[in-house]
Short mmCIF file of all heavy atoms in Angstrom, two decimals:
data_model
loop_
_atom_site.label_atom_id
_atom_site.label_comp_id
_atom_site.label_asym_id
_atom_site.label_seq_id
_atom_site.Cartn_x
_atom_site.Cartn_y
_atom_site.Cartn_z
N VAL A 29 234.27 92.18 49.96
CA VAL A 29 234.65 91.73 48.67
C VAL A 29 234.46 90.23 48.50
O VAL A 29 233.99 89.74 47.49
CB VAL A 29 236.16 92.12 48.40
CG1 VAL A 29 236.61 91.54 47.05
CG2 VAL A 29 236.30 93.62 48.43
N ASN A 30 234.84 89.46 49.54
CA ASN A 30 234.82 88.03 49.48
C ASN A 30 233.98 87.48 50.65
O ASN A 30 234.36 87.54 51.81
CB ASN A 30 236.21 87.44 49.55
CG ASN A 30 236.25 85.99 49.20
OD1 ASN A 30 235.32 85.26 49.43
ND2 ASN A 30 237.35 85.57 48.59
N LEU A 31 232.79 86.90 50.30
CA LEU A 31 231.86 86.50 51.37
C LEU A 31 232.37 85.23 52.08
O LEU A 31 231.77 84.83 53.08
CB LEU A 31 230.51 86.27 50.79
CG LEU A 31 229.83 87.52 50.21
CD1 LEU A 31 228.49 87.23 49.63
CD2 LEU A 31 229.72 88.59 51.27
N ASP A 32 233.43 84.61 51.62
CA ASP A 32 233.97 83.43 52.34
C ASP A 32 234.67 83.83 53.63
O ASP A 32 234.82 83.01 54.52
CB ASP A 32 234.94 82.67 51.38
CG ASP A 32 234.21 82.02 50.28
OD1 ASP A 32 233.10 81.49 50.49
OD2 ASP A 32 234.79 82.03 49.14
N ILE A 33 235.16 85.05 53.70
CA ILE A 33 235.88 85.53 54.88
C ILE A 33 234.92 85.44 56.14
O ILE A 33 233.81 85.93 56.03
CB ILE A 33 236.39 86.98 54.76
CG1 ILE A 33 237.23 87.12 53.48
CG2 ILE A 33 237.13 87.44 56.00
CD1 ILE A 33 238.47 86.30 53.44
N GLY A 34 235.39 84.79 57.17
CA GLY A 34 234.61 84.64 58.34
C GLY A 34 233.81 83.33 58.40
O GLY A 34 233.23 83.00 59.45
N GLN A 35 233.72 82.60 57.27
CA GLN A 35 233.01 81.37 57.28
C GLN A 35 233.80 80.28 58.00
O GLN A 35 235.01 80.38 58.17
CB GLN A 35 232.69 80.92 55.84
CG GLN A 35 231.76 81.90 55.11
CD GLN A 35 230.42 82.02 55.74
OE1 GLN A 35 229.82 81.01 56.14
NE2 GLN A 35 229.93 83.29 55.83
N ARG A 36 233.16 79.22 58.36
CA ARG A 36 233.78 78.07 59.06
C ARG A 36 234.07 76.96 58.07
O ARG A 36 233.32 76.75 57.13
CB ARG A 36 232.85 77.52 60.16
CG ARG A 36 232.43 78.56 61.18
CD ARG A 36 233.45 78.68 62.25
NE ARG A 36 232.98 79.64 63.23
CZ ARG A 36 233.81 80.43 63.87
NH1 ARG A 36 235.09 80.37 63.63
NH2 ARG A 36 233.39 81.25 64.79
N VAL A 37 235.18 76.29 58.33
CA VAL A 37 235.58 75.10 57.56
C VAL A 37 236.12 74.13 58.53
O VAL A 37 236.81 74.45 59.50
CB VAL A 37 236.61 75.50 56.45
CG1 VAL A 37 237.87 76.03 57.04
CG2 VAL A 37 236.81 74.37 55.49
N THR A 38 235.83 72.83 58.27
CA THR A 38 236.30 71.77 59.16
C THR A 38 237.53 71.05 58.49
O THR A 38 237.43 70.63 57.36
CB THR A 38 235.18 70.73 59.41
OG1 THR A 38 234.06 71.38 59.98
CG2 THR A 38 235.70 69.61 60.30
N VAL A 39 238.60 71.02 59.20
CA VAL A 39 239.81 70.44 58.69
C VAL A 39 240.04 69.09 59.44
O VAL A 39 240.24 69.12 60.67
CB VAL A 39 241.08 71.35 58.89
CG1 VAL A 39 242.34 70.70 58.38
CG2 VAL A 39 240.86 72.68 58.22
N PRO A 40 240.02 67.97 58.74
CA PRO A 40 240.13 66.65 59.44
C PRO A 40 241.52 66.37 59.93
O PRO A 40 241.77 65.78 60.95
CB PRO A 40 239.70 65.66 58.39
CG PRO A 40 239.80 66.36 57.08
CD PRO A 40 239.72 67.83 57.33
N ALA A 41 242.59 66.79 59.10
CA ALA A 41 243.98 66.53 59.48
C ALA A 41 244.88 67.51 58.74
O ALA A 41 244.56 68.06 57.70
CB ALA A 41 244.36 65.13 59.11
N TRP A 42 246.06 67.79 59.35
CA TRP A 42 247.03 68.70 58.79
C TRP A 42 248.28 67.98 58.37
O TRP A 42 248.62 66.97 58.97
CB TRP A 42 247.43 69.76 59.85
CG TRP A 42 246.35 70.73 60.12
CD1 TRP A 42 245.46 70.66 61.12
CD2 TRP A 42 246.00 71.90 59.40
NE1 TRP A 42 244.54 71.71 61.11
CE2 TRP A 42 244.89 72.48 60.01
CE3 TRP A 42 246.51 72.52 58.25
CZ2 TRP A 42 244.30 73.65 59.56
CZ3 TRP A 42 245.97 73.68 57.79
CH2 TRP A 42 244.87 74.26 58.43
N ASP A 43 248.94 68.48 57.35
CA ASP A 43 250.20 67.92 56.88
C ASP A 43 251.21 69.10 56.66
O ASP A 43 251.13 69.80 55.65
CB ASP A 43 250.05 67.15 55.56
CG ASP A 43 251.28 66.51 55.05
OD1 ASP A 43 252.21 66.26 55.87
OD2 ASP A 43 251.40 66.28 53.81
N ASN A 44 252.04 69.32 57.63
CA ASN A 44 253.01 70.45 57.60
C ASN A 44 252.32 71.77 57.44
O ASN A 44 252.80 72.62 56.63
CB ASN A 44 254.08 70.21 56.55
CG ASN A 44 254.94 69.01 56.85
OD1 ASN A 44 255.26 68.71 58.03
ND2 ASN A 44 255.38 68.34 55.84
N GLY A 45 251.30 72.03 58.14
CA GLY A 45 250.60 73.30 58.08
C GLY A 45 249.70 73.51 56.90
O GLY A 45 249.23 74.57 56.60
N ARG A 46 249.46 72.44 56.12
CA ARG A 46 248.58 72.50 54.95
C ARG A 46 247.59 71.35 54.96
O ARG A 46 247.82 70.31 55.63
CB ARG A 46 249.38 72.44 53.66
CG ARG A 46 250.28 73.65 53.46
CD ARG A 46 250.90 73.62 52.06
NE ARG A 46 251.82 74.69 51.88
CZ ARG A 46 251.55 75.93 51.51
NH1 ARG A 46 250.32 76.22 51.22
NH2 ARG A 46 252.46 76.81 51.37
N ALA A 47 246.47 71.55 54.30
CA ALA A 47 245.44 70.50 54.26
C ALA A 47 244.59 70.71 52.99
O ALA A 47 244.66 71.74 52.33
CB ALA A 47 244.58 70.56 55.51
N ARG A 48 243.82 69.69 52.68
CA ARG A 48 242.82 69.79 51.62
C ARG A 48 241.42 69.49 52.25
O ARG A 48 241.30 68.50 52.98
CB ARG A 48 243.03 68.76 50.52
CG ARG A 48 244.34 68.85 49.75
CD ARG A 48 244.30 69.72 48.57
NE ARG A 48 243.53 69.13 47.49
CZ ARG A 48 243.15 69.80 46.47
NH1 ARG A 48 243.51 71.10 46.30
NH2 ARG A 48 242.45 69.24 45.49
N VAL A 49 240.46 70.39 51.98
CA VAL A 49 239.13 70.19 52.56
C VAL A 49 238.08 70.39 51.47
O VAL A 49 238.31 71.07 50.45
CB VAL A 49 238.88 71.17 53.71
CG1 VAL A 49 239.87 70.96 54.81
CG2 VAL A 49 238.90 72.61 53.23
N MET A 50 236.91 69.83 51.73
CA MET A 50 235.74 70.08 50.88
C MET A 50 235.04 71.30 51.46
O MET A 50 234.69 71.30 52.65
CB MET A 50 234.85 68.84 50.91
CG MET A 50 233.71 68.94 49.94
SD MET A 50 234.21 68.98 48.23
CE MET A 50 234.46 67.28 47.88
N TYR A 51 234.89 72.31 50.64
CA TYR A 51 234.22 73.53 51.04
C TYR A 51 233.35 74.04 49.86
O TYR A 51 233.89 74.15 48.78
CB TYR A 51 235.25 74.59 51.50
CG TYR A 51 234.67 75.93 51.84
CD1 TYR A 51 233.77 76.12 52.88
CD2 TYR A 51 234.96 77.03 50.99
CE1 TYR A 51 233.24 77.34 53.19
CE2 TYR A 51 234.41 78.27 51.30
CZ TYR A 51 233.55 78.42 52.36
OH TYR A 51 233.01 79.63 52.64
N ARG A 52 232.12 74.28 50.06
CA ARG A 52 231.18 74.72 49.05
C ARG A 52 231.16 73.78 47.84
O ARG A 52 231.12 74.21 46.70
CB ARG A 52 231.47 76.15 48.59
CG ARG A 52 231.15 77.15 49.65
CD ARG A 52 231.12 78.56 49.15
NE ARG A 52 232.41 78.97 48.62
CZ ARG A 52 232.56 79.59 47.43
NH1 ARG A 52 231.50 79.87 46.67
NH2 ARG A 52 233.73 79.92 47.02
N GLY A 53 231.28 72.50 48.04
CA GLY A 53 231.23 71.51 47.01
C GLY A 53 232.44 71.35 46.17
O GLY A 53 232.41 70.72 45.10
N ALA A 54 233.57 71.88 46.64
CA ALA A 54 234.82 71.74 45.85
C ALA A 54 235.96 71.52 46.88
O ALA A 54 235.88 71.87 48.02
CB ALA A 54 235.10 73.00 45.05
N LEU A 55 237.09 70.94 46.32
CA LEU A 55 238.28 70.76 47.12
C LEU A 55 239.07 72.07 47.18
O LEU A 55 239.28 72.66 46.12
CB LEU A 55 239.14 69.66 46.61
CG LEU A 55 238.74 68.24 47.00
CD1 LEU A 55 239.63 67.24 46.31
CD2 LEU A 55 238.85 68.06 48.49
N TRP A 56 239.51 72.47 48.37
CA TRP A 56 240.26 73.66 48.51
C TRP A 56 241.55 73.35 49.26
O TRP A 56 241.58 72.48 50.11
CB TRP A 56 239.53 74.69 49.37
CG TRP A 56 238.28 75.30 48.69
CD1 TRP A 56 237.12 74.68 48.44
CD2 TRP A 56 238.17 76.64 48.19
NE1 TRP A 56 236.29 75.55 47.86
CE2 TRP A 56 236.85 76.78 47.69
CE3 TRP A 56 239.04 77.75 48.21
CZ2 TRP A 56 236.40 77.95 47.17
CZ3 TRP A 56 238.55 78.94 47.70
CH2 TRP A 56 237.29 79.00 47.14
N ASP A 57 242.66 74.05 48.96
CA ASP A 57 243.86 74.00 49.71
C ASP A 57 243.66 74.91 50.94
O ASP A 57 243.11 75.99 50.81
CB ASP A 57 245.07 74.45 48.93
CG ASP A 57 245.38 73.54 47.79
OD1 ASP A 57 245.22 72.26 47.98
OD2 ASP A 57 245.85 73.96 46.76
N VAL A 58 244.14 74.47 52.07
CA VAL A 58 244.01 75.23 53.28
C VAL A 58 245.37 75.35 53.94
O VAL A 58 246.14 74.42 53.93
CB VAL A 58 243.00 74.54 54.29
CG1 VAL A 58 242.94 75.35 55.55
CG2 VAL A 58 241.65 74.37 53.65
N GLU A 59 245.68 76.57 54.43
CA GLU A 59 246.90 76.71 55.17
C GLU A 59 246.62 77.52 56.44
O GLU A 59 245.64 78.24 56.48
CB GLU A 59 248.00 77.41 54.31
CG GLU A 59 247.79 78.83 54.02
CD GLU A 59 248.96 79.37 53.20
OE1 GLU A 59 249.40 78.76 52.25
OE2 GLU A 59 249.34 80.55 53.52
N LEU A 60 247.49 77.35 57.40
CA LEU A 60 247.30 78.02 58.67
C LEU A 60 247.68 79.50 58.57
O LEU A 60 248.72 79.85 57.98
CB LEU A 60 248.13 77.34 59.75
CG LEU A 60 247.64 75.98 60.25
CD1 LEU A 60 248.69 75.34 61.14
CD2 LEU A 60 246.33 76.16 61.00
N GLY A 61 246.88 80.32 59.22
CA GLY A 61 247.27 81.74 59.34
C GLY A 61 248.22 81.92 60.50
O GLY A 61 248.51 80.99 61.28
N LYS A 62 248.64 83.14 60.70
CA LYS A 62 249.58 83.46 61.80
C LYS A 62 248.92 83.19 63.13
O LYS A 62 247.80 83.57 63.37
CB LYS A 62 250.03 84.90 61.73
CG LYS A 62 250.91 85.23 60.56
CD LYS A 62 251.32 86.67 60.59
CE LYS A 62 252.23 86.95 59.40
NZ LYS A 62 252.66 88.30 59.35
N GLY A 63 249.66 82.47 64.00
CA GLY A 63 249.18 82.17 65.35
C GLY A 63 248.23 81.04 65.45
O GLY A 63 247.82 80.69 66.56
N ALA A 64 247.85 80.41 64.35
CA ALA A 64 246.89 79.30 64.39
C ALA A 64 247.68 77.98 64.71
O ALA A 64 248.82 77.85 64.29
CB ALA A 64 246.16 79.14 63.13
N THR A 65 247.06 77.07 65.42
CA THR A 65 247.66 75.80 65.76
C THR A 65 247.05 74.71 64.90
O THR A 65 245.85 74.66 64.73
CB THR A 65 247.47 75.49 67.26
OG1 THR A 65 246.07 75.49 67.51
CG2 THR A 65 248.17 76.47 68.14
N PRO A 66 247.87 73.77 64.40
CA PRO A 66 247.35 72.74 63.54
C PRO A 66 246.70 71.58 64.37
O PRO A 66 247.42 70.72 64.95
CB PRO A 66 248.60 72.20 62.82
CG PRO A 66 249.75 72.54 63.70
CD PRO A 66 249.32 73.75 64.45
N HIS A 67 245.44 71.64 64.42
CA HIS A 67 244.69 70.53 65.08
C HIS A 67 243.46 70.22 64.25
O HIS A 67 242.97 71.09 63.53
CB HIS A 67 244.27 70.93 66.50
CG HIS A 67 243.34 72.07 66.54
ND1 HIS A 67 243.79 73.37 66.48
CD2 HIS A 67 242.01 72.14 66.66
CE1 HIS A 67 242.72 74.24 66.55
NE2 HIS A 67 241.66 73.48 66.65
N ALA A 68 242.94 69.01 64.36
CA ALA A 68 241.73 68.68 63.62
C ALA A 68 240.54 69.40 64.24
O ALA A 68 240.42 69.48 65.44
CB ALA A 68 241.50 67.14 63.65
N GLY A 69 239.68 69.99 63.42
CA GLY A 69 238.51 70.66 63.90
C GLY A 69 238.08 71.83 63.04
O GLY A 69 238.48 71.95 61.91
N ASP A 70 237.31 72.70 63.62
CA ASP A 70 236.75 73.87 62.92
C ASP A 70 237.73 75.01 62.95
O ASP A 70 238.35 75.27 64.00
CB ASP A 70 235.40 74.28 63.54
CG ASP A 70 234.29 73.35 63.20
OD1 ASP A 70 234.43 72.53 62.22
OD2 ASP A 70 233.29 73.35 63.92
N PHE A 71 237.77 75.75 61.83
CA PHE A 71 238.58 76.93 61.70
C PHE A 71 237.79 77.96 61.00
O PHE A 71 236.78 77.71 60.33
CB PHE A 71 239.86 76.64 60.86
CG PHE A 71 240.85 75.79 61.62
CD1 PHE A 71 240.74 74.36 61.56
CD2 PHE A 71 241.89 76.33 62.30
CE1 PHE A 71 241.65 73.60 62.21
CE2 PHE A 71 242.85 75.57 62.94
CZ PHE A 71 242.65 74.17 62.90
N ARG A 72 238.20 79.24 61.16
CA ARG A 72 237.55 80.39 60.54
C ARG A 72 238.44 80.89 59.38
O ARG A 72 239.65 81.04 59.55
CB ARG A 72 237.38 81.53 61.59
CG ARG A 72 236.65 82.77 61.06
CD ARG A 72 236.49 83.74 62.17
NE ARG A 72 237.64 83.98 62.97
CZ ARG A 72 238.62 84.81 62.74
NH1 ARG A 72 238.60 85.59 61.67
NH2 ARG A 72 239.65 84.92 63.57
N ILE A 73 237.82 81.12 58.22
CA ILE A 73 238.57 81.63 57.06
C ILE A 73 238.88 83.09 57.27
O ILE A 73 237.95 83.89 57.53
CB ILE A 73 237.74 81.40 55.76
CG1 ILE A 73 237.44 79.93 55.56
CG2 ILE A 73 238.49 81.98 54.57
CD1 ILE A 73 236.47 79.64 54.46
N VAL A 74 240.18 83.44 57.18
CA VAL A 74 240.57 84.84 57.34
C VAL A 74 241.08 85.47 56.04
O VAL A 74 241.11 86.71 55.92
CB VAL A 74 241.64 84.98 58.46
CG1 VAL A 74 241.01 84.64 59.79
CG2 VAL A 74 242.86 84.14 58.19
N GLU A 75 241.48 84.67 55.07
CA GLU A 75 241.94 85.14 53.76
C GLU A 75 241.65 84.14 52.70
O GLU A 75 241.53 82.93 53.00
CB GLU A 75 243.45 85.40 53.76
CG GLU A 75 243.95 86.54 54.55
CD GLU A 75 245.48 86.74 54.40
OE1 GLU A 75 245.90 86.93 53.25
OE2 GLU A 75 246.20 86.65 55.39
#
């Protein structure tokens, strides 16, 4: 249904489990899924 699932996104920094990133030419809100640790780096989109 959503082709973004499984894609990679780079998060430069986290603020209480949330972040703002540039993805596909737009700013997106990002939050951690269950079991994910907040560190700068690449993440996989799950939802």
Side-chain angles (χ1 to χ4, degrees):
V29 174
N30 192 329
L31 297 179
D32 293 319
I33 306 298
Q35 298 298 317
R36 303 274 182 216
V37 64
T38 301
V39 179
W42 290 95
D43 183 23
N44 294 327
R46 296 188 184 271
R48 297 271 291 167
V49 299
M50 186 65 82
Y51 174 66
R52 290 193 300 133
L55 277 176
W56 290 72
D57 292 326
V58 178
E59 71 179 43
L60 287 170
K62 291 183 181 179
T65 57
H67 64 277
D70 287 341
F71 290 84
R72 182 177 44 89
I73 300 171
V74 293
E75 288 184 61

